[in-house]
Amino acid sequence: MTRLVIAEDSAILREGLVQLLVERGHEVVANVGTAGELIDAVAEFTPEVVIVDIRMPPTFTDEGLVAAVSLRRSHPDMGVLVFSQWVETRYATELLANQPEGVGYLLKDRVTDIGEFDAAVRRVAAGGTALDPEVVRQLMGSRSKSATLDRLTPREHEVLSLMAEGHSNSALAQHLSITERAVEKHVSAIFTKLDLPPSQAHHRRVLAVVTYLDS
């Protein structure tokens, strides 16, 4: 059973999500209609996962996603599943930066099976990642499709898979029994082989992980 908080401004959709998720064994400890209420509910109930829409009152622009990014910083062990009609690449990148495990981003009009949605919730709760392919496509933008994981050595594959689990360089070094300097060299090689030059527009670590997930 996963403890959930749902933040969705549509009361009908919110109640529908509550019913469907409770029927599948989850515990919905709060369901709210604004980003401010989401912040308060997390403080009160400390859920394992929050499910949040992007556009919420009062301006219906990006309140929900801004709140999700803030909660991700203050509660790094809590899963965040964005469930929206919209793709906001800037905030999606921020959510995935440094710690991509326990993050999901699904598009409402592309989820046709409640079992698939339930599986995504459980994956995020367990520390996994659940990204809609369209979100991945937009995150990758106009990057060359020739960038493939086939270019990586077995060790670089291993480093990238651990990066996708959210490990820092120091944690990677400990896990692989190598120095941090060696990890940095592997990470640099991964960026080069995946055609990820230094850029202020995108977080290279996130794009490397997204490439891994897309494969």
Side-chain angles (χ1 to χ4, degrees):
M1 180 173 63
T2 304
R3 289 168 52 83
L4 306 173
V5 167
I6 298 173
E8 164 62 55
D9 66 285
S10 168
I12 293 175
L13 178 55
R14 187 169 68 243
E15 292 300 327
L17 284 173
V18 170
Q19 181 177 346
L20 288 169
L21 289 168
V22 167
E23 287 176 354
R24 282 158 179 77
H26 301 284
E27 179 186 7
V28 179
V29 294
N31 67 93
V32 300
T34 70
E37 290 172 325
L38 169 62
I39 299 292
D40 292 341
V42 169
E44 180 176 357
F45 296 107
T46 58
E48 296 169 78
V49 175
V50 296
I51 300 172
V52 57
D53 193 7
I54 292 176
R55 301 186 178 184
M56 304 186 73
T59 68
F60 294 95
T61 54
D62 56 12
E63 288 89 347
L65 199 44
V66 170
V69 171
S70 175
L71 287 170
R72 186 66 173 166
R73 295 193 188 110
S74 60
H75 299 75
D77 295 329
M78 183 182 68
V80 173
L81 176 57
V82 177
F83 189 45
S84 178
Q85 291 176 295
W86 319 100
V87 179
E88 295 284 351
T89 57
R90 172 190 168 192
Y91 292 113
T93 298
E94 286 192 50
L95 276 175
L96 288 162
N98 299 320
Q99 189 179 358
E101 80 268 19
V103 173
Y105 198 137
L106 301 180
L107 300 179
K108 290 177 180 177
D109 60 353
R110 290 167 58 90
V111 176
T112 58
D113 183 352
I114 186 59
E116 175 185 334
F117 185 77
D118 176 46
V121 171
R122 294 179 186 276
R123 189 156 65 250
V124 168
T129 306
L131 297 179
D132 186 283
E134 177 61 20
V135 175
V136 171
R137 187 189 69 79
Q138 293 198 34
L139 279 173
M140 296 182 73
S142 60
R143 287 193 55 227
S144 169
K145 299 305 180 183
S146 64
T148 69
L149 300 185
D150 293 340
R151 301 177 181 178
L152 305 184
T153 67
R155 175 62 97 181
E156 290 162 357
H157 269 281
E158 188 175 15
V159 168
L160 182 54
S161 70
L162 291 170
M163 285 169 56
E165 293 175 9
H167 293 287
S168 65
N169 282 3
S170 59
L172 281 167
Q174 184 176 6
H175 185 88
L176 298 172
S177 300
I178 59 178
T179 65
E180 282 195 52
R181 178 60 179 162
V183 170
E184 291 170 2
K185 289 182 178 179
H186 286 309
V187 172
S188 178
I190 289 169
F191 291 158
T192 298
K193 292 179 180 180
L194 296 183
D195 296 329
L196 294 171
S199 168
Q200 294 188 8
H202 296 286
H203 192 297
R204 288 196 295 171
R205 198 176 185 97
V206 170
L207 288 179
V209 167
V210 168
T211 301
Y212 174 81
L213 296 173
D214 192 38
S215 68

